[in-house]
Amino acid sequence: MYILGIETSCDETAAAVSKDGRTILSDIVYSQADIHKTYGGVVPEIASRKHIEKISYVVNLAIEKANIKKEDIDLVAVTHGPGLVGALLVGVSFAKAFSFAINKPLVGVNHIYGHIAANYITHKDLTPPFVCLVASGGHSHIVKVEDYHKFKLLGATRDDAAGEAFDKVSRVLGFGYPGGPLINEAAKHGNKDAIPFPRVSMGLDFSFSGLKTAVINYIHNCQQKNEEYNKYDVAASFQSAVVDVLVKNTIEAAKKEKVGTICLAGGVAANTQLREEMKRHAVEEGLKFYCPDLKYCTDNAAMIACEGYYAYKEGVVSDLTLNALPSIDSFLTM
Ligand code: KG4
Ligand code: ZN
């Protein structure tokens, strides 16, 4: 079965072709990051317009690189939420027209489930159940993946998402956008024990808003006293505070649920320290640890094609009334 995946929920225009879910034949990502960099964050209207400009090119290229023809596609899978409404609408509209034109089924995919499915692409042996930390720009959840399409929410952020905190702290330190990779790099040159930033968690939930304020206050205090501060130390100490809480709660969740495997998903899963620390603690606890290849952590369409395959197998099909759902609640209503 050939699945065409389409992803336009934020600032990446992406298309991919998968064979039977886990095998990826092509994976095209056109990133708009360089355009949004000028503004210090994603400008929704610009994102939508760029998606419109690039979507046909990206989809055609994905089909060509997969070495198949349009008519060979058996299923069209598209992200329909959560995300930016205008951006999502471009992918959803394109996918609906495409599936109608080739007369093949359409499936709307939840972006967060897509991030989790990225693990199946990298690790062919991985099967549920497992506990997954999903940490991206808009979401931070600890989820028990009971089956390919059955999820149980175990913990979540009470305020900011982890990626959002990385982006804001990067801006305050003057590293720019996108913050995650820049802090990741800067932290390698700093002392993670230099500043004792707070680690806040409530049960399996966490909070990053207070941490963000603590970083801002630290910088302001230094400025008021005319004291120099080392921004690499601030980056490293901030990153450590985020990683410590994410690792502690995820390990606790796996133990509580008596699940032997831990996975990472979402853009923040690309973080070097998070990958290393989670692996170290998982091994210490006798747990198996998996994380997607770096290119499948951040937004891509291969994960959407993979998740679309499993959703379709579970009987999920969409019709031409499929709409963008910018604030779709991925786990809370389960
Ligand atoms: O999953 P994603 O590509 O898009 C959303 O669905 O939000 O995640 C983007 C987020 C951004 O906040 C970005 O700063 C963060 O993931 N991110 C990272 C790293 N790479 C991306 N955060 C920490 N370390 C990284 N290496
Ligand atoms: Zn994402």
Side-chain angles (χ1 to χ4, degrees):
M1 183 171 182
Y2 292 115
I3 308 106
L4 170 68
I6 296 177
E7 155 66 40
T8 63
S9 68
C10 192
D11 61 342
E12 263 93 27
T13 317
V17 175
S18 147
K19 187 167 186 286
D20 299 330
R22 292 187 178 214
T23 304
I24 302 305
L25 303 182
S26 65
D27 173 26
I28 310 296
V29 180
Y30 167 76
S31 174
Q32 308 172 358
D34 278 346
I35 299 161
H36 298 288
K37 202 153 72 181
T38 325
Y39 308 96
V42 178
V43 182
E45 183 60 25
I46 295 177
S48 316
R49 285 165 190 250
K50 281 287 152 195
H51 284 314
I52 293 173
E53 278 174 32
K54 292 288 172 188
I55 186 88
S56 298
Y57 168 75
V58 166
V59 169
N60 282 330
L61 191 60
I63 294 168
E64 188 190 314
K65 295 257 180 210
N67 223 353
I68 61 166
K69 297 194 285 297
K70 284 189 179 74
E71 307 76 54
D72 297 329
I73 292 164
D74 300 296
L75 176 68
V76 179
V78 62
T79 303
H80 71 131
L84 301 170
V85 65
L88 287 165
L89 269 174
V90 177
V92 168
S93 308
F94 192 95
K96 288 202 283 193
F98 199 93
S99 105
F100 182 75
I102 61 169
N103 197 21
K104 294 291 167 61
L106 171 74
V107 58
V109 169
N110 183 306
H111 181 78
I112 305 297
Y113 301 169
H115 272 301
I116 296 173
N119 283 285
Y120 300 133
I121 299 172
T122 304
H123 307 286
K124 308 292 183 219
D125 58 325
L126 173 67
T127 50
F130 55 87
V131 162
C132 189
L133 168 69
V134 193
S136 68
H139 301 83
S140 294
H141 292 114
I142 298 175
V143 183
K144 182 178 177 190
V145 181
E146 297 181 324
D147 205 344
Y148 286 100
H149 230 71
K150 196 163 172 233
F151 308 93
K152 180 176 155 195
L153 181 70
L154 304 173
T157 179
R158 297 269 180 101
D159 38 57
D160 294 357
E164 196 180 340
F166 270 93
D167 293 334
K168 286 190 181 149
V169 166
S170 176
R171 200 180 308 167
V172 176
L173 288 174
F175 289 121
Y177 171 88
L182 296 168
I183 294 270
N184 190 147
E185 210 35 53
K188 291 178 186 163
H189 309 286
N191 172 7
K192 70 180 177 58
D193 301 315
I195 308 139
F197 287 129
R199 275 97 171 126
V200 181
S201 63
M202 297 79 82
L204 294 178
D205 286 350
F206 21 71
S207 156
F208 297 114
S209 169
L211 170 61
K212 183 186 67 193
T213 309
V215 173
I216 294 170
N217 285 346
Y218 175 83
I219 294 169
H220 284 172
N221 262 325
C222 292
Q223 285 169 343
Q224 277 161 2
K225 291 185 205 153
N226 256 335
E227 280 174 13
E228 289 276 315
Y229 63 90
N230 182 325
K231 58 184 188 172
Y232 298 96
D233 284 351
V234 178
S237 301
F238 157 78
Q239 181 175 279
S240 264
V242 176
V243 168
D244 281 358
V245 172
L246 293 177
V247 169
K248 177 176 124 337
N249 288 15
T250 309
I251 300 279
E252 246 173 63
K255 282 162 70 180
K256 195 166 154 217
E257 293 292 317
K258 300 191 171 41
V259 169
T261 305
I262 281 181
C263 295
L264 294 183
V268 182
N271 186 267
T272 315
Q273 192 185 352
L274 178 63
R275 292 164 86 94
E276 286 172 5
E277 287 294 303
M278 193 71 87
K279 184 173 182 181
R280 190 166 68 79
H281 282 84
V283 169
E284 270 172 26
E285 296 289 342
L287 303 165
K288 279 193 198 161
F289 171 72
Y290 295 93
C291 54
D293 283 344
L294 283 179
K295 66 173 177 170
Y296 296 131
C297 287
T298 44
D299 290 349
N300 65 87
M303 69 185 197
I304 302 303
C306 179
E307 168 56 24
Y309 170 80
Y310 284 111
Y312 185 70
K313 288 227 133 191
E314 289 291 317
V316 182
V317 204
S318 307
D319 59 24
L320 295 181
T321 63
L322 183 72
N323 205 349
L325 296 174
S327 315
I328 188 171
D329 185 346
S330 305
F331 304 111
L332 294 177
T333 50
M334 292 194 154

